[in-house]
Amino acid sequence: MPYRHSNGTQFSRRRVLGLIGAAGAALATGCQVDTGSGGGNGSGTGAGKAAKGSDPKAIKFPDLPGKLPSGDATFRWVDSGDLKSVWERSVLDAFTAKHSHIKTQYDGNGWDNVNQVVPLGIRNKSAPDVFALPQDVPPQVAINEGWVRPIDDLIPDFETWRSRFGPDVLVPGVSIFNDRVYSWPISSNRRLERMSIFDTEVMKAAGYDDPGAQITTWDELTTALTKVRKTGKAGLMAGGDGLGGIVSYLAVTAGWRGLPVNGMDMRTGQYAYTADGFMAAYELFDKLVTDKLVVSGFVTLLEKDARAQMTAGKSGMIFNGPWDIPAWKKAAPDWKYDIASLPSPNGKPFLVPFLEGSNSSWVYAHTKLPTVVGQILSYMGSPEGQKMMVVLSEGNLQSLQPEANKAADQPGLLDPQAKAAVSLARRSMHVAPRPELRNTDVAKVNIALKVVTPNLKDVMQGLVTGQLSNPAKQFATLQSKLDAALDAAIAAAKKKGSTATRDDYAFGNWDPAKDYTSEDYKALK
């Protein structure tokens, strides 16, 4: 049977097994693992400071219940790295500092590495103890194929641990399957994936001393990029793999009510790529491209490479997220930049709906260190562990536990730019409703949902390169296919006993200016 992940990727059992074989072939050519600084290989260097008890950025692993192995052992964690890696590595170092016979290895060498290492480990029955799922493997596939196991019987005093997270965090069909908790989101998703980020010197040369305050409308954006272009620099930096996200976020500034993550308007439960706000955002971006105000060759440029080029002073601005902040701090600590909200058509504030929770981790079904897994996850989800996540990410990651964010906000611990990004997000972002929390049978629909191609990224790239024409028709076709796919999945799930209907996706009482709460769900009944 086909499976579909939340990103729209469809898989069959044959395709999953093929992935494993492809991963093995890829690794056979050689794959270097970057363990990073701070003792990611289990040397315990990060934990050495913790033992002194004087470093506010050091972790001292607590005493936790459970019988650990008596002999030497090695615990392995693999994920994409980036923002969360410093914290995860430090937690593992602290664990080894407390239990020296249990070494820990952290591998956060990017998604390409995850996509190779995890399937190969599954095939060889030597997968990491905890890992991020490969981008192309839906949770349902991993569970049905026996890759992963629940965590609710691993974490000591699990119900207390679970109670620290809100009701919209551990969601059926996302973290919960067959009434068992398999995963949990390490951090909050309340972060603006698209902000205006300006190269201070480039913008100053174009006449903008305070670009965040001077560029608040779409017209001002076009004018500013034109002035930057006249200085010999590129106007807007962009990557071809992020065009859908850029246009979706610009659409939100125009009052579009679609979720940037999938394009659905949760008031109606219908996809909304033909809405006026979305079409206006596309037309704005298309004009920027036509007027040569976007960096040359952006279609073939990856967003990670676009980010790297910003520090070279090649462009005036980029629309990107807070993950850039620590990357720039490491790669170009002297580069100066400013951040602000995206410009809107009229310069007024706008609202961004989002679904909570990110950075999920999964436990290998055949881990030989279940107690070690339980203790590490227990600490990570504790108030102290979550506080240290915020501290060690310098505020670039926010916890799903408000008290942890408050405890971490101490003088000198958080990056000023990260705090500014968090402030922007808190002003404009609000939790949207989830159909899975209204009717748990929606999880069965998710399993049956098939991929729609071309997707938004494909359509955007086709339009800006001229391979596709008539934008209104292309977005209408995409919307129609998405609606048809959802209807088909609902019908397929119904044949297997699901009670979910299209009505479960429509939330007439949704107010985008507020977080959607359990009381709002109750009001629907």
Side-chain angles (χ1 to χ4, degrees):
M1 66 177 291
Y3 301 95
R4 182 187 182 276
H5 190 250
S6 58
N7 68 5
T9 305
Q10 181 187 357
F11 271 79
S12 65
R13 179 184 176 92
R14 177 179 299 176
R15 171 66 175 129
V16 172
L17 296 177
L19 259 180
I20 296 174
L27 278 187
T29 64
C31 177
Q32 294 183 348
V33 176
D34 178 12
T35 57
S37 60
N41 60 357
S43 62
T45 55
K49 296 178 181 179
K52 299 177 182 179
S54 60
D55 186 349
K57 294 186 177 182
I59 291 173
K60 185 175 182 180
F61 206 89
D63 293 320
L64 291 171
K67 185 177 181 180
L68 296 171
S70 58
D72 292 346
T74 299
F75 169 92
R76 298 168 56 215
W77 182 303
V78 172
D79 62 22
S80 62
D82 293 327
L83 285 177
K84 58 192 177 295
S85 63
V86 175
W87 172 63
E88 292 172 336
R89 184 183 295 119
S90 297
V91 171
L92 300 190
D93 283 349
F95 184 89
T96 291
K98 186 175 185 65
H99 307 286
S100 59
H101 65 292
I102 301 176
K103 305 303 180 184
T104 54
Q105 292 182 353
Y106 175 75
D107 176 2
N109 201 30
W111 281 112
D112 287 345
N113 186 55
V114 171
N115 296 340
Q116 295 173 357
V117 169
V118 173
L120 180 62
I122 296 295
R123 187 186 70 178
N124 294 338
K125 299 182 180 179
S126 61
D129 299 281
V130 176
F131 52 79
L133 288 181
Q135 290 174 300
D136 292 336
V137 178
Q140 295 90 342
V141 171
I143 292 168
N144 291 339
E145 295 294 328
W147 288 22
V148 296
R149 58 162 296 168
I151 63 174
D152 46 23
D153 58 350
L154 297 179
I155 298 174
D157 193 9
F158 177 75
E159 290 306 319
T160 297
W161 184 91
R162 179 178 182 171
S163 69
R164 300 183 183 118
F165 301 95
D168 61 339
V169 174
L170 300 178
V171 179
V174 179
S175 297
I176 301 173
F177 300 87
N178 301 320
D179 297 323
R180 300 294 303 276
V181 180
Y182 277 82
S183 184
W184 66 293
I186 286 173
S187 59
S188 173
N189 215 23
R190 196 187 297 264
R191 57 183 185 179
L192 289 168
E193 296 187 4
R194 305 290 164 175
M195 302 180 291
S196 295
I197 306 176
F198 307 95
D199 184 309
T200 303
E201 293 303 316
V202 172
M203 296 307 298
K204 186 175 182 179
Y208 291 86
D209 294 325
D210 187 4
Q214 295 170 284
I215 307 171
T216 62
T217 70
W218 286 3
D219 286 343
E220 290 169 348
L221 170 68
T222 301
T223 299
L225 294 177
T226 301
K227 290 182 178 180
V228 170
R229 183 74 174 174
K230 289 180 179 179
T231 69
K233 305 289 186 178
L236 181 69
M237 181 67 69
D241 54 337
L243 301 185
I246 290 173
V247 171
S248 292
Y249 257 76
L250 287 173
V252 169
T253 75
W256 185 56
R257 287 293 175 257
L259 294 181
V261 69
N262 63 14
M264 180 174 281
D265 183 338
M266 301 312 298
R267 296 171 303 177
T268 63
Q270 303 291 321
Y271 293 95
Y273 287 122
T274 59
D276 291 344
F278 191 86
M279 291 303 303
Y282 168 76
E283 290 166 2
L284 168 66
F285 188 79
D286 183 58
K287 185 178 189 304
L288 297 181
V289 174
T290 301
D291 293 347
K292 301 187 184 305
L293 299 180
V294 183
V295 65
S296 177
F298 70 92
V299 175
T300 58
L301 192 66
L302 296 177
E303 286 210 300
K304 65 178 182 178
D305 299 322
R307 174 181 70 193
Q309 289 193 21
M310 280 299 296
T311 62
K314 296 182 177 180
S315 181
M317 61 186 297
I318 188 172
F319 294 149
N320 220 334
W323 44 82
D324 288 347
I325 295 171
W328 285 328
K329 188 172 185 177
K330 181 179 180 181
D334 296 328
W335 181 62
K336 305 298 182 184
Y337 63 96
D338 299 306
I339 65 174
S341 291
L342 293 182
S344 62
N346 54 15
K348 293 182 179 180
F350 53 90
L351 302 171
V352 182
F354 78 104
L355 302 177
E356 189 56 280
S358 62
N359 291 325
S360 294
S361 57
W362 303 78
V363 178
Y364 181 39
H366 304 294
T367 176
K368 296 179 180 179
L369 301 171
T371 305
V372 176
V373 173
Q375 290 194 0
I376 289 174
L377 296 187
S378 177
Y379 173 77
M380 285 182 161
S382 70
E384 176 65 15
Q386 287 286 289
K387 181 196 81 172
M388 293 307 297
M389 177 191 71
V390 181
V391 169
L392 289 170
S393 72
E394 297 186 325
N396 287 291
L397 289 178
Q398 288 289 289
S399 174
L400 288 157
Q401 300 176 17
E403 65 276 11
N405 295 320
K406 185 176 181 180
D409 193 0
Q410 302 175 32
L413 292 184
L414 307 185
D415 185 287
Q417 293 283 31
K419 292 185 68 172
V422 168
S423 179
L424 290 175
R426 287 177 177 170
R427 287 204 300 267
S428 62
M429 299 188 75
H430 300 282
V431 177
R434 276 187 181 272
E436 294 93 342
L437 290 175
R438 186 178 189 179
N439 185 344
T440 57
D441 278 0
V442 169
K444 300 176 182 178
V445 177
N446 293 343
I447 294 175
L449 196 57
K450 295 183 178 181
V451 67
V452 168
T453 56
N455 59 24
L456 178 60
K457 181 184 75 172
D458 299 331
V459 172
M460 280 297 306
Q461 290 182 337
L463 288 170
V464 298
T465 59
Q467 293 177 319
L468 296 176
S469 59
N470 195 336
K473 179 180 178 181
Q474 298 298 333
F475 291 127
T477 299
L478 173 63
Q479 179 174 305
S480 177
K481 287 183 176 180
L482 289 168
D483 279 320
L486 180 55
D487 288 337
I490 290 173
K494 185 177 181 180
K495 293 180 179 179
K496 296 185 178 182
S498 169
T499 63
T501 70
R502 199 64 186 257
D503 291 340
D504 292 318
Y505 294 79
F507 296 82
N509 63 343
W510 177 40
D511 180 357
K514 300 188 300 182
D515 283 349
Y516 201 85
T517 67
S518 57
E519 295 303 316
D520 295 315
Y521 287 103
K522 292 177 183 177
L524 293 172
K525 298 178 180 180

